[in-house]
Amino acid sequence: MVKCENEFSVQSYGFRPNKNARQAVGKALEHIHEGYTFIVDIDLKTFFDEVDHCLLLNLLYQKVKCRITLGLIRKWLRVPIQINGKLQKRRKGVPQGSPLSPLLSNILLNELDKELTRRKLRFVRYADDFSVYTKRKSDATATMSAISKYLKTKLKLTINREKSGVRKPVQFTLLGFGFVPTYKKGDKARYQLVVSDKAWERLKMKWLTRKTIPMSFDERITKINEVQRGWLNYFRGTSIQGKLKELDGWLRNRMRYCIWHHWKKPERKRKNLIRLGVDQDHIYAWSRARKGGWAVAQSPILITTITLKRLKQRGYIAMLDVYTKFKPVDLRTAVYETRTYGGVRGALRSILGGAVYSIVARLSFY
């Protein structure tokens, strides 16, 4: 892998040491600020299912001369796939889920990086997600046509025409990030990072706040804190304070809804409302409210009893509090800390098993 790594482009950020998605987004923002505001956004159609085995093995042979290693990779590529209960031979594509898949995809798409570099184009690539930056729309249209032809004829890959096109920064999203103007005096043609709509939908965590999930409230709180901390760590430095405050309130109401549903019977609701300090004038009426659970969660019945202070006592951490703790970072140099138990080789061996680990180990010495 060392030899492969030395040959990879500096504009490739996916599945490589000391490189990550945030650096790719930072580089894209740098290109946009330099005036390259016409973006060629190309989406490869089912990339991992379309990789040509012969082409990939030929590229590997130029780097690895060991027949045993190449034989193992070939057998791994040809592993049968189960379709409708029947095993069928795999004629193309790379099995997903293995640490070997990203390495092989980088080796194949490195040929695309060489072509883009030869044409002296500004680009950013993260695995099979790549974009090219130009100053004029005519250049962007010509670049898209040329790159599409190169991918089809040389690498035998298909472009998803519906998701690809020439875009301005406000219409473009990259790895969950969007780009919007700053609207500040003196900051002409400057953009700031925001979170895309799809990423916001993932943060809502509807699957964790469903009332029917067989999970205790403490387990639910723990899972919610883990998800939101990871999400906010990834998107730190973006302008999302307003939306976070709104989403915090929505998430707390979802948790109140789960608690109300868990109490079930009116008598149990009455006893719990007494414990929460509700006065005698409201206990009976509130415990037997005929409103739906979601309406009760947004009403004074639960907002004044299951307060933010009480939720925090149970371990809940507001997303806005987590966001303010994270300091803005320079996206071009951001590096995430990765920890392995027993060293990299030990971790790989435990995850991959014998055959695939031996392939990765052999590649690392070429």
Side-chain angles (χ1 to χ4, degrees), residues 224-237:
I224 288 172
N225 288 341
E226 289 174 357
V227 172
Q228 68 184 25
R229 188 172 184 83
W231 191 95
L232 291 168
N233 182 41
Y234 180 75
F235 287 108
R236 67 186 187 276

Side-chain angles (χ1 to χ4, degrees), residues 21-34 36-37 39 41 124 129 131 133 167-183 189-197 200 234-235 238-240 331:
R22 292 180 63 87
Q23 292 177 0
V25 175
K27 193 65 178 178
L29 187 63
E30 182 183 320
H31 291 326
I32 292 170
H33 285 165
E34 289 175 355
Y36 295 83
T37 55
I39 304 166
D41 184 18
V124 171
D129 193 346
S131 48
Y133 302 81
R167 314 189 196 285
K168 293 291 283 182
V170 292
Q171 305 163 337
F172 176 61
T173 60
L174 178 64
L175 302 172
F177 289 86
F179 304 84
V180 296
T182 56
Y183 298 112
R190 303 291 292 182
Y191 290 81
Q192 62 183 340
L193 294 174
V194 294
V195 180
S196 68
D197 293 337
W200 278 116
Y234 180 75
F235 287 108
T238 52
S239 302
I240 55 176
L331 297 181

Side-chain angles (χ1 to χ4, degrees), residues 217 221 248 252 255-256 259 276 302-318 321:
F217 187 72
I221 288 288
D248 258 333
R252 286 195 291 271
M255 288 190 286
R256 293 182 181 114
I259 293 170
L276 291 171
L302 293 185
I303 290 178
T304 59
T305 53
I306 305 175
T307 59
L308 176 58
K309 182 179 178 181
R310 282 197 166 106
L311 288 173
K312 285 183 176 180
Q313 288 173 352
R314 293 294 298 271
Y316 170 73
I317 304 173
D321 294 341

Side-chain angles (χ1 to χ4, degrees), residues 13 22 57 68 88-89 100 118 147 156 229 311:
Y13 295 90
R22 292 180 63 87
L57 288 171
I68 298 175
Q88 297 186 12
K89 292 182 179 179
L100 191 58
R118 186 184 68 81
I147 296 306
K156 301 180 182 179
R229 188 172 184 83
L311 288 173

Side-chain angles (χ1 to χ4, degrees), residues 5 8-31 102 105-106 109-110 113 122-131 133 174-175 234 330-336:
E5 180 63 31
F8 289 158
S9 170
V10 294
Q11 306 301 332
S12 170
Y13 295 90
F15 309 107
R16 296 182 59 193
N18 300 323
K19 286 182 177 287
N20 54 56
R22 292 180 63 87
Q23 292 177 0
V25 175
K27 193 65 178 178
L29 187 63
E30 182 183 320
H31 291 326
S105 66
N106 273 337
L109 291 176
N110 189 49
D113 296 344
R122 294 184 176 228
F123 69 96
V124 171
R125 183 173 70 81
Y126 187 91
D128 60 327
D129 193 346
F130 71 98
S131 48
Y133 302 81
L174 178 64
L175 302 172
Y234 180 75
D330 186 350
L331 297 181
R332 293 169 295 176
T333 58
V335 179
Y336 289 107

Side-chain angles (χ1 to χ4, degrees), residues 284-300:
Y284 188 85
W286 284 8
S287 63
R288 282 156 177 80
R290 301 186 67 181
K291 295 179 180 179
W294 181 240
V296 172
Q298 301 175 81
S299 72

